[in-house]
Amino acid sequence: EDGTLGFECTLEEVDLEDITKNQINTIKACTPEDPGTGNCPSLERSTLDTHQCLQGIYEDLSTYRAELRNFSDQKVLAAIDEMMKVLNTSSRHGLQPVAGTVPSSFSERMRLCSILHAFRIRTVTINRLVNFLSSPESSL
């Protein structure tokens, strides 16, 4: 929210931090191992491991939820929980809500700003992949 961090949290103000880079994540799980030439590999159903891709998305959501649990709005956490439930229908345990707090130091607030922007960008990728997976036939 505007003003929550005590400064304008814009993408230009922060260096993005990929908190998922050392684990399975959406990008690693949903792109082919051999992307071919160019910067934008095409994604085809024949080479996509849907289960692995959905697992990568789930892991991303889990990582971001854990990182944001102490600082974020309960609506954000509830939305992440709902997405995780849809992806992991076999899960029988619910995630417990945590009281959110605003980080106290400036560096903590800058880091939260960075993580929120990185998460926003990742959700665009997740949205595109879910749309791709749910479409009858297409390629990215």
Side-chain angles (χ1 to χ4, degrees):
E1 286 185 26
D2 189 32
T4 302
L5 296 175
F7 60 91
E8 190 175 343
C9 177
T10 63
L11 191 54
E12 294 79 27
E13 299 292 325
V14 295
D15 294 322
L16 297 180
E17 178 181 349
D18 183 4
I19 61 172
T20 68
K21 67 183 174 191
N22 294 325
Q23 64 189 46
I24 185 170
N25 63 41
T26 303
I27 307 302
K28 291 177 187 173
C30 300
T31 54
E33 287 189 31
D34 181 20
T37 61
N39 292 332
C40 188
S42 66
L43 185 60
E44 297 177 14
R45 288 193 189 282
S46 62
T47 60
L48 178 67
D49 182 339
T50 302
H51 177 72
Q52 180 179 331
C53 185
L54 293 174
Q55 184 63 34
I57 292 169
Y58 182 88
E59 293 298 324
D60 269 356
L61 294 171
S62 178
T63 300
Y64 277 102
R65 188 195 191 287
E67 190 69 35
L68 296 172
R69 75 179 179 270
N70 293 323
F71 304 119
S72 201
D73 180 304
Q74 287 300 314
K75 290 184 219 174
V76 172
L77 296 177
I80 294 172
D81 290 348
E82 282 302 311
M83 289 186 283
M84 290 173 70
K85 278 187 217 174
V86 169
L87 289 169
N88 192 17
T89 56
S90 65
S91 176
R92 296 181 189 250
H93 62 284
L95 298 169
Q96 299 300 316
V98 179
T101 60
V102 177
S104 57
S105 74
F106 182 74
S107 62
E108 287 176 336
R109 290 180 286 153
M110 282 297 286
R111 183 166 186 271
L112 176 59
C113 177
S114 171
I115 290 170
L116 287 170
H117 277 293
F119 182 55
R120 181 182 56 83
I121 292 168
R122 185 59 55 93
T123 60
V124 170
T125 302
I126 290 170
N127 182 50
R128 289 178 177 169
L129 281 162
V130 168
N131 286 335
F132 174 76
L133 294 172
S134 62
S135 67
E137 55 182 271
S138 61
S139 65
L140 284 178

